[in-house]
Amino acid sequence: MPALGEFDLIRRYFTHSSLSEHVVIGVGDDCAVLKIPAACELAISIDTQVSGVHFHADTDPASIAARTLRCAASDLAAMGAEPLGFTLALTLPSADENWLEKFSQGLLQAAQQLQCPLIGGDTTRGSLCITIQVHGSIPLGKALRRSGAKVGDSVWISGTLGDGAAALALIEKNITVSQDAENYLLQRFYHPDVDFSLGVQLRDMASSCIDVSDGLLADLGHICAASGVGARIALEKLPIAVEWRSSVSEQQAQQWALAGGDDYRLCFTAAPQHTAVLQSLHGVTCIGHIVEGAGILIDAKNGFIHKDDFIHNKGFRHF
Ligand code: ADP
Ligand code: MG
């Protein structure tokens, strides 16, 4: 059988139905054309996943696809944007139809779940590498930045922390957990939640926002640096999933929650007047507050305060 040509490959695997009120022209022309909602600005973010660096080459292709799209889309949610569509730059060592079938199915499923259609891309030969650029819309002037945190604001996190690091430990066979915990962690790792509706709700409440991709301390550190403030967080308030937390030592769980990466949760700050509304939202937790100065202080259970200089991202060294 002759090898699949470039255009057949695109037609067969990547001409997803991009039907959406925002897509005027999708895959197949020189450019995709998007209709941006009235009185909105365009938000753009791009993410690359390299085989052997970001994932093992033998990882399930559907999982690679879903994770790449969801990680990119997480940046839209963190800005308070809603998805318009995404482009895909795919570099493949060969036109492996089995791999492509699974990859494109996983991609399509994630695109449908996120309501973020594939609108175009580029296909080349080389070492396996996947780049996704997401496009979203935000009402004029409403983008949630890293730079607006004020002294006295509360610090909040959506969902749970540490799942990404625990999942990586599991994938690398450094921990063993129950079957339920394994299912939970693999789901969280390959299909991280992207909460666009939370980002939208936060447009009028949050003073700053970031998605936690490099670990809470690093990413809250980015908010502090951009805002010219410090933060004080309480160790025992960090939300850690019951599914796995008792599978490791408490110290390990807390370390992953503080400094592990790949959680794709939203970390945001908000003035005290929004506390009641935020507390009524499902799955957001107040973990501390913004203080004068720089860097992050961590209050531990025994009252001991760890002074920190993570602002310069020197790494985690509390335990
Ligand atoms: P051009 O040469 O004009 O840049 P290409 O031949 O690279 O166009 O691509 C043809 C069409 O297929 C374009 O609409 C492009 O967006 C789309 N496309 C190419 N590769 C992909 C891909 N991996 N996923 C989705 N669409 C793709
Ligand atoms: Mg062209």
Side-chain angles (χ1 to χ4, degrees):
M1 201 176 102
L4 197 59
E6 178 188 339
F7 297 110
D8 290 333
L9 186 159
I10 295 166
R11 198 176 315 115
R12 191 178 303 174
Y13 298 110
F14 298 111
T15 311
H16 297 171
S17 160
S18 52
L19 279 184
S20 140
E21 52 180 322
H22 306 299
V23 182
V24 181
I25 302 174
V27 172
D29 217 313
D30 292 315
C31 283
V33 176
L34 290 174
K35 189 179 286 169
I36 301 173
C40 279
E41 290 166 333
L42 183 62
I44 301 170
S45 181
I46 191 164
D47 259 322
T48 294
Q49 307 267 331
V50 181
S51 176
V53 178
H54 299 95
F55 58 89
H56 296 292
D58 61 0
T59 307
D60 166 41
S63 297
I64 300 171
R67 178 172 158 78
T68 308
L69 178 55
R70 286 171 170 277
C71 294
S74 170
D75 285 317
L76 291 182
M79 296 299 286
E82 291 174 282
L84 294 170
F86 73 96
T87 49
L88 165 71
L90 190 57
T91 304
L92 298 168
S94 68
D96 177 340
E97 294 185 33
N98 182 38
W99 192 94
L100 277 162
E101 179 66 33
K102 290 179 177 156
F103 181 85
S104 73
Q105 281 305 316
L107 192 66
L108 178 61
Q109 191 186 54
Q112 285 172 339
Q113 288 164 345
L114 299 175
Q115 295 191 45
C116 185
L118 176 62
I119 57 171
D122 195 27
T123 306
T124 51
R125 186 187 292 265
S127 303
L128 180 58
C129 178
I130 301 146
T131 296
I132 283 182
Q133 184 165 40
V134 287
H135 306 258
S137 64
I138 316 177
L140 289 171
K142 288 286 187 185
L144 294 170
R145 304 170 189 231
R146 298 177 177 188
S147 56
K150 302 271 185 308
V151 173
D153 286 354
S154 300
V155 177
W156 299 79
I157 190 83
S158 72
T160 48
L161 289 169
D163 295 329
L168 206 58
L170 174 71
I171 291 165
E172 292 176 347
K173 299 189 168 49
N174 293 327
I175 57 168
T176 48
V177 298
S178 69
Q179 189 60 51
D180 282 353
E182 179 169 334
N183 295 344
Y184 169 82
L185 287 172
L186 295 181
Q187 175 71 18
R188 284 280 300 123
F189 192 78
Y190 291 116
H191 307 269
D193 308 307
V194 180
D195 198 344
F196 293 120
S197 67
L198 176 60
V200 169
Q201 284 177 285
L202 293 179
R203 283 175 192 159
D204 292 316
M205 286 191 280
S207 51
S208 70
C209 188
I210 193 168
D211 67 322
V212 179
S213 53
D214 294 334
L216 175 68
L217 291 176
D219 290 315
L220 178 56
H222 292 316
I223 283 183
C224 289
S227 303
V229 295
R232 185 163 172 164
I233 59 173
L235 198 53
E236 71 271 24
K237 287 191 180 162
L238 299 181
I240 300 174
V242 292
E243 281 82 353
W244 61 268
R245 76 174 299 165
S246 57
S247 306
V248 300
S249 71
E250 192 182 4
Q251 268 198 353
Q252 180 66 89
Q254 288 173 338
Q255 183 177 344
W256 281 339
L258 281 171
D262 296 311
D263 281 328
Y264 299 100
R265 300 304 198 177
L266 298 187
C267 176
F268 57 94
T269 59
Q273 80 224 47
H274 299 300
T275 299
V277 174
L278 288 169
Q279 277 171 339
S280 74
L281 297 182
H282 177 70
V284 299
T285 308
C286 181
I287 58 168
H289 56 278
I290 295 296
V291 296
E292 278 177 30
I296 300 169
L297 297 167
I298 303 162
D299 290 340
K301 217 182 327 190
N302 56 9
F304 190 74
I305 295 173
H306 299 283
K307 183 91 179 79
D308 194 4
D309 59 356
F310 277 104
I311 200 79
H312 300 300
N313 204 5
K314 284 179 184 157
F316 185 69
R317 53 188 168 82
H318 289 294
F319 297 105

